[in-house]
Amino acid sequence: MRSQTRRRKPLLMTTAIATACLSVLVLLSACSSDAGPRSATAQPTVVIIGDSLSTGHGTSPDDAWPHLVENDPGFQQFQATIVNAAHDGSGYVSVGEDGSTFGSQVDTAVTDQTRLVLFFGSENDMGTAPGETEAAASRAFASVKSRAPQADILVVGPPSYTSSPEAERLDVRNQDRAAALKAGADFVDPIDLGWIMDDAADLIGPDGDHPSAAGQQYLQAKMEALIGPRIQQASPGSPPFAG
């Protein structure tokens, strides 16, 4: 009986060690699974909703301001992904290339991983029925909230290249702003801020409508100043964004 008792002690010890090792493995596995969401949070996605001002029309996609922002070393500190969903001819109401509207761009590009959605424009909605642009914008903003409840919404109205914009352009701007305010989104007004107006000859290309390469760089600086502080909130360890 004594010899049997002696043999059981190593067996019990081995069982205890195996149990302890299993517990450690479970703990390590839990830690590994926790690391995924933290990594995703540290790498936010920015979705650009827009028209030909954001596609590089008249220059090239590589010259488009969203591409310039994503490849700016100062912006890369946030490890953010820029998804440029913009299509030529699009607006909240206006149907552009490939049947795109701002609403359909949201449906295609915004996911639950999206941290910021930036809408830019659009003069393509000029001439629509009264209230139609505001209603379409409201639907687009509601779709963002449904698809990405944690995402910020930033609405940038259509710019003007002169200090005397058309009444239709101002009407689109006003409807965009009204929808943004109702949705609790931030609204930025390039017309009131005088974007491009003072240097349109250099910032707008030969067609008189689309930004030149210098104009895209101008928009890059303006948009980085808007995007940077908002993305920094998703990357609290990043140094202050210099723009």
Side-chain angles (χ1 to χ4, degrees):
M1 293 297 293
R2 288 180 181 176
S3 60
Q4 291 177 354
T5 302
R6 290 193 189 99
R7 285 195 294 271
R8 284 175 184 170
K9 286 183 180 180
L11 178 61
L12 292 174
M13 184 177 298
T14 302
T15 302
I17 292 172
T19 302
C21 290
L22 181 60
S23 299
V24 170
L25 289 174
V26 170
L27 179 60
L28 290 175
S29 176
C31 292
S32 175
S33 64
D34 286 346
R38 283 197 293 269
S39 176
T41 301
Q43 298 182 354
T45 298
V46 180
V47 175
I48 308 302
I49 306 296
D51 57 17
S52 56
L53 299 184
S54 302
T55 65
H57 187 97
T59 52
S60 74
D62 286 346
D63 291 315
W65 69 262
H67 181 81
L68 298 178
V69 170
E70 185 169 35
N71 288 277
D72 179 3
F75 185 80
Q76 288 176 348
Q77 65 179 296
F78 302 116
Q79 300 181 359
T81 298
I82 300 284
V83 176
N84 188 3
H87 280 75
D88 292 359
S90 299
Y92 292 103
V93 177
S94 177
V95 179
E97 187 180 73
D98 297 328
S100 172
T101 65
F102 284 9
S104 71
Q105 291 173 28
V106 169
D107 294 342
T108 299
V110 174
T111 72
D112 59 2
Q113 297 300 310
T114 302
R115 178 65 183 80
L116 173 66
V117 182
L118 188 154
F119 292 81
F120 182 28
S122 169
E123 67 176 28
N124 295 323
D125 288 327
M126 292 168 60
T128 57
E132 189 176 8
T133 297
E134 181 180 344
S138 295
R139 290 193 296 271
F141 303 155
S143 181
V144 172
K145 291 183 176 182
S146 174
R147 293 172 179 277
Q150 80 287 0
D152 291 334
I153 302 175
L154 176 60
V155 182
V156 181
S160 171
Y161 305 152
T162 75
S163 58
S164 301
E166 312 94 315
E168 292 88 349
R169 188 180 301 271
L170 294 176
D171 181 58
V172 169
R173 184 272 312 271
N174 293 342
Q175 292 190 62
D176 291 353
R177 177 167 54 197
L181 293 177
K182 289 178 182 178
D186 291 338
F187 182 78
V188 175
D189 185 0
I191 296 175
D192 278 355
L193 294 174
W195 286 17
I196 301 174
M197 293 179 188
D198 294 337
D199 198 14
D202 290 331
L203 301 179
I204 302 303
D207 66 2
D209 192 23
H210 296 95
S212 62
Q216 293 288 355
Q217 293 168 11
Y218 175 94
L219 289 175
Q220 172 197 356
K222 294 295 186 183
M223 296 304 188
E224 283 187 354
L226 297 173
I227 296 172
R230 291 169 171 83
I231 290 302
Q232 191 168 19
Q233 297 174 8
S235 305
S238 300
F241 181 62

